[in-house]
Amino acid sequence: MSIRPWRDIARRQSRQIMVGNVAVGGDAPVTVQTMTNTPTSDAKATIDQIRRCEEAGVDIIRVSCPDVESTAALKQIVRASNVPIVADIHFHYKRALEAADAGAACLRINPGNIGSAERVREVVSAAKANGCAIRIGVNAGSLEKDLLEKYGEPCPEALVESALDHIRILEDHDFRNYKVAVKASDLFLAVAAYHQLAETVDCPLHLGITEAGGLIGGTVKSSIGMGSLLWAGIGDTIRVSLSAEPEEEVRVGYEILKALGIRNRGVRVVSCPSCARQGFDVIRTVQALEERLQHIRTPMSLSVLGCVVNGPGEARETDIGLTGGGNGKHMVFLSGVTDHHVQDAGMIDHIVKLVEAKAAEIEAGISQSADTAPHPVAA
C-alpha cells in the first residue's frame, strides 16, 4: 500500500494485445485515441490532421474507410503516420480486407454486421495474415434488432450481450487479438455496461461516451463517465468523443488521465478561478500559458494563483509557482521555495522560460539516470 492509499487505483487485470507497436491492456499505459474527420481519400489533409494529433500526444488514430477511395489512400496514410492507424469499417467487408492489406494496425468492426460467416472468416483471415488487431465496437445507437426486441430498449444487458455475441464470432475463428467497447451517449448506460462487461471478459476495454457533445459539454460528460470507470480501474484505451477538432479530444483525454494520476504528459496546471484579490489577470494568464506550453511533453507541475491566500501553499507542491502580489510585483517559487519576484511586464515570457528550463533539467536527469544505471553483464 502506498503512503497515500486514497489515491490508489487498482487496475482491472486484462490480457494484453498489440495495436501495431502499441501495447493495449495488461500493465501497459492507458492509451489515448482520436479519430480524423477529414475525407480519408484526401491523404494529404488526413496526414496533416494526424500530425497535429501526434503533436498533442495521441497514441492511436482511427480513420473512417467508407469507400474504396479511402482504403486506396490508406497505404500512404499508414506510411506517413508515426502512430498505429485503426481503420473504421461498417458493413462492407471488402473495405476491411483492403484496409488490412494497406497496413492498418487494427480494424474497427462489428462482426455481426459484416455479413455471412464466410465474409467474417475472410476478414479474420486478413487480420491474421497482416497482424491486425480488431476492435469490436458496440453502440447503443445501433444495437441489433433482436436485442432491442428482447430488452425493449438499449440497456446494459443488451450492450453486453451484443459484445459477447461478437466476441464469440471472433473466438470461433480462433482470433483473440481484440479489444471491445460498449459505448452510449447516456453516460449512466455506458458506465453500467462497462462494469458488467469488465466482470465478464478478460480482453482490453476501449472506453468512450459516444456522441458526448461539444467541447465543454462533451468534456464534462466524458470526464464523469470515463473518469469514474478509470477510477474503478476499468479501461485500457480511451477516446473522448467531441464535436471539436481531434487534437482537442487528445488534450482532454490526457487531462482526464492526469487528473487521476494514471498518466502524465506535459504541464499540469494548478490555478485559481480568480477573484477581486488577484494581483494579475489570472484567467488570461492561464490561457496564455496553456497555449504557450503545449509543446512541453515532460511531466511537471505549474501553479498560477492570484493572491497569497492559497498561492504559497499551492506553490510549495509544484515545480514552479506564480503567486500574485501587490503593485504588479509577484512571487516566483522554484521547487516549492520562494526564489525571486517578477513584474507584470514580461511575466508570461519569464514563466515560459522557467518551465522550458525545468523540463530540460528533468529530461537531463532522466537521461543521466539511464546512462549511469548498471548494465546487465553478458553471459
Side-chain angles (χ1 to χ4, degrees):
M1 182 179 290
S2 71
I3 61 172
R4 298 182 180 89
W6 33 272
R7 287 184 179 176
D8 292 345
I9 294 176
R11 189 171 173 189
R12 163 186 171 266
Q13 292 302 303
S14 68
R15 55 187 171 81
Q16 191 173 98
I17 69 168
M18 296 300 296
V19 177
N21 62 353
V22 174
V24 175
D27 60 357
V30 176
T31 54
V32 177
Q33 300 189 27
T34 188
M35 186 174 184
T36 58
N37 57 30
T38 52
T40 306
S41 56
D42 186 343
K44 183 183 184 303
T46 303
I47 291 167
D48 287 346
Q49 193 169 72
I50 288 172
R51 286 285 176 271
R52 294 194 293 275
C53 294
E54 288 173 345
E55 290 171 4
V58 75
D59 298 301
I60 299 170
I61 291 188
R62 178 158 50 112
V63 302
S64 183
C65 293
D67 48 43
V68 69
E69 290 79 14
S70 297
T71 51
L74 195 60
K75 185 174 291 187
Q76 181 183 351
I77 293 167
V78 167
R79 189 166 54 245
S81 177
N82 296 308
V83 298
I85 297 295
V86 178
D88 192 77
I89 309 294
H90 289 281
F91 306 114
H92 302 290
Y93 84 104
K94 286 188 177 180
R95 301 295 84 78
L97 305 182
E98 294 159 359
D101 288 340
C106 181
L107 306 175
R108 188 277 192 193
I109 64 171
N110 284 347
N113 72 22
I114 287 295
S116 66
E118 175 59 25
R119 289 182 175 181
V120 173
R121 186 193 65 76
E122 286 190 55
V123 171
V124 173
S125 295
K128 287 181 177 179
N130 290 280
C132 291
I134 288 179
R135 197 236 310 167
I136 296 170
V138 175
N139 194 304
S142 55
L143 274 173
E144 296 88 333
K145 289 182 180 180
D146 62 318
L147 290 176
L148 287 175
E149 291 173 0
K150 177 179 179 179
Y151 291 100
E153 65 175 0
C155 63
E157 292 76 15
L159 267 66
V160 171
E161 185 170 334
S162 176
L164 295 177
D165 287 343
H166 295 318
I167 287 171
R168 194 172 302 111
I169 293 172
L170 294 185
E171 298 213 338
D172 284 347
H173 289 82
D174 193 31
F175 190 91
R176 287 176 56 78
N177 192 34
Y178 62 82
K179 53 184 176 172
V180 182
V182 281
K183 295 186 178 183
S185 59
D186 180 332
L187 68 90
F188 295 98
L189 172 56
V191 169
Y194 275 111
H195 274 283
Q196 285 190 24
L197 189 63
E199 295 175 356
T200 309
V201 299
D202 71 343
C203 61
L205 298 183
H206 170 87
L207 300 189
I209 306 298
T210 194
E211 291 105 32
L215 181 59
I216 295 177
T219 294
V220 172
K221 284 180 67 176
S222 297
S223 300
I224 295 171
M226 289 195 289
S228 68
L229 288 165
L230 291 163
W231 198 342
I234 297 170
D236 303 289
T237 182
I238 67 172
R239 189 259 174 118
V240 181
S241 297
L242 302 175
S243 299
E245 293 304 320
E247 54 266 40
E248 295 297 334
E249 294 187 348
V250 178
R251 295 186 184 109
V252 172
Y254 268 102
E255 289 299 325
I256 292 172
L257 297 180
K258 283 161 66 175
L260 290 166
I262 291 173
R263 191 169 172 194
N264 291 309
R265 181 187 189 277
V267 182
R268 176 176 62 87
V269 177
V270 177
S271 61
C272 68
S274 80
C275 69
R277 292 190 304 268
Q278 65 182 352
F280 56 86
D281 188 336
V282 172
I283 293 174
R284 250 57 64 181
T285 298
V286 170
Q287 288 174 343
L289 287 171
E290 286 184 334
E291 180 67 27
R292 295 273 302 274
L293 296 174
Q294 285 185 12
H295 66 291
I296 301 294
R297 300 186 179 189
T298 308
M300 60 182 296
S301 53
L302 167 68
S303 57
V304 181
L305 284 95
C307 76
V308 295
V309 173
N310 294 320
E314 294 291 354
R316 282 193 288 270
E317 303 298 324
T318 54
D319 294 307
I320 296 172
L322 174 65
T323 297
N327 300 316
K329 188 177 181 181
H330 317 297
M331 291 181 287
V332 176
F333 295 74
L334 301 180
S335 300
V337 178
T338 307
D339 188 83
H340 59 276
H341 290 79
V342 64
Q343 300 286 342
D344 283 330
M347 179 178 69
I348 291 174
D349 289 340
H350 182 69
I351 297 299
V352 168
K353 289 178 181 177
L354 289 176
V355 170
E356 290 174 337
K358 183 64 177 179
E361 176 189 325
I362 293 171
E363 290 300 319
I366 292 172
S367 298
Q368 185 176 20
S369 296
D371 290 340
T372 58
H375 296 281
V377 178

